[in-house]
Amino acid sequence: MTMKISKNLSKNTWCKHIPITDLERGEIYCRPCGIVLSEKLVEKNSERVYGLEQGSNNSRTGAGLTLTRVNMGLNATINNIDVDSLGNSLPNKTKSKFNRLRKLDNSSKQKSTAERNFTKAMIMLDAAKKKLGLPELIVENTAFLYRKASKNNLIRGRTVNGILASCIYAACRESSIPRSLDEISVTMNINRKRLAKIYRILANALNINPEPPRPVDFLAKIASQLQVSEKTKRTAITLLIKTDQRKLGVGYKPTAICASVLRIACMKNNEHRTLNQISHASEISMPTIRKIILIFNEKLMKNEISN
C-alpha cells in the first residue's frame, strides 16, 4: 500500500490528526480514528514508467510514433531476450516456442510486398544514417518521402536502394544539410547518374522544389576536416558573402567555390593548408581549385591576398 500525508486537507476536525492519502484506493482517511475524509480520488499527475533502455520518465504512452516503421510503432513486438521476469534463462522448449511466435508475428505484420520493401528500406536507412551521420530529422523526412513514393507507385520498375537514396538526397536538400550526390551514391552503392535520374523523377512526381545548395553550407564540414581556426572560418564566410553579392562562381559546384575560398582564407591568415589537403577534404580536383582562385584573385581579392 502506498501512503503519503495529504497536503490538500487540513487536520481532522474530530481528533486533530493529519490525514493519510491512500493512492491505491483513492481515499484520504485518519489513521487513529479510521474516518474517511474523502474517497474516489483521481491521480492527475503522470505516473513514472521504468524501462530497461529509457530509464525513468513521466511518459504514459511509452515510445513515441515514428515513420520508420510500417505501423509507425503502434504494434507490440516480441523482444529477443529469452529470460523470464526474474532474469532466469528460459528452457529450450520455451525458447523454440517463442522463436516460432516471433516469426509468425513478423510475417503477420508484413502482409503486402510494399510493407516488406518498406521494412527492407528502413534497415538500409539505418545503416546509411550511421555512415553519413544523418540526424533524426533527416531520417524521419526520408521515411516520409519514401512512403509518398510508394503510395504514388514510383518504386515499380526501380530498385528499393535507388528510391531510398533519392529520398535521402531530397531530405538533405530540403533541410540544407550538405550531402552530395557522390557521397550518397558511394554510401548506397548506386551509380551517380542513375541516382540523379531517379531524384529528378521523384522531385517532379512529389513536387519537391528545394533551394539550390549554397557554398556556405559546405564550409563547416570542410573546415572541420582541415581543422582550421575560427578566425579562418569567419574570413571564409566574409569572402563567400562578397562572392555571392557579386555573382561570382556561376557555373561552378558550390563545393568547389567553398574549397577555393577556404584556401584563400588560409592564405590570408597564414595557416598552411596545401591544395592536396583541401582537395581531399572537399573531393574537388586541384586544377579546379586553382582555376577558381585565379578568377577570384582577379575580380574580387586582388588587393587582399598578399601571398
Side-chain angles (χ1 to χ4, degrees), residues 38-184:
S38 181
E39 61 180 350
K40 296 181 180 180
L41 300 178
V42 178
E43 178 65 29
K44 296 182 179 180
N45 297 328
S46 59
E47 72 272 12
R48 289 191 177 273
V49 179
Y50 297 92
L52 295 176
E53 298 180 356
Q54 298 178 351
S56 61
N57 53 48
N58 292 327
S59 174
R60 287 177 174 265
T61 57
L65 299 179
T66 174
L67 293 172
T68 58
R69 295 187 180 182
V70 176
N71 50 17
M72 293 190 291
L74 292 176
N75 287 356
T77 57
I78 303 176
N79 58 30
N80 297 322
I81 304 175
D82 294 327
V83 294
D84 57 10
S85 59
L86 300 178
N88 301 324
S89 180
L90 297 176
N92 292 331
K93 185 177 180 180
T94 308
K95 287 182 181 179
S96 61
K97 179 180 179 181
F98 273 96
N99 287 332
R100 291 194 300 270
L101 288 175
R102 291 190 190 100
K103 292 180 181 179
L104 291 173
D105 183 53
N106 292 331
S107 62
S108 64
K109 292 176 182 176
Q110 302 174 11
K111 298 180 181 179
S112 63
T113 306
E115 292 179 351
R116 289 192 292 269
N117 289 338
F118 182 83
T119 303
K120 179 182 177 182
M122 291 305 104
I123 294 174
M124 292 189 290
L125 176 59
D126 185 65
K129 169 189 172 183
K130 298 175 183 177
K131 292 180 181 179
L132 294 172
L134 301 176
E136 287 296 329
L137 173 64
I138 299 299
V139 174
E140 292 291 326
N141 289 345
T142 302
F144 175 70
L145 292 175
Y146 186 89
R147 287 176 180 269
K148 292 179 67 176
S150 178
K151 185 178 180 181
N152 287 271
N153 204 20
L154 298 177
I155 304 179
R156 183 179 295 274
R158 302 177 182 89
T159 61
V160 175
N161 190 24
I163 294 294
L164 179 64
S166 319
C167 293
I168 293 175
Y169 182 67
C172 292
R173 287 284 303 273
E174 287 183 333
S175 301
S176 299
I177 293 181
R179 295 296 183 274
S180 62
L181 280 172
D182 297 320
E183 290 181 272
I184 297 177

Side-chain angles (χ1 to χ4, degrees), residues 210-255:
E211 295 183 359
R214 301 174 302 169
V216 71
D217 295 336
F218 300 89
L219 179 63
K221 179 183 176 182
I222 300 175
S224 63
Q225 293 184 12
L226 295 173
Q227 296 181 352
V228 298
S229 63
E230 289 296 328
K231 180 180 179 182
T232 302
K233 292 181 183 178
R234 291 194 295 269
T235 304
I237 291 175
T238 303
L239 295 176
L240 285 173
I241 293 174
K242 292 181 180 179
T243 302
D244 184 63
Q245 290 175 349
R246 303 195 182 186
K247 306 297 181 181
L248 299 178
V250 177
Y252 293 99
K253 295 175 63 174
T255 314

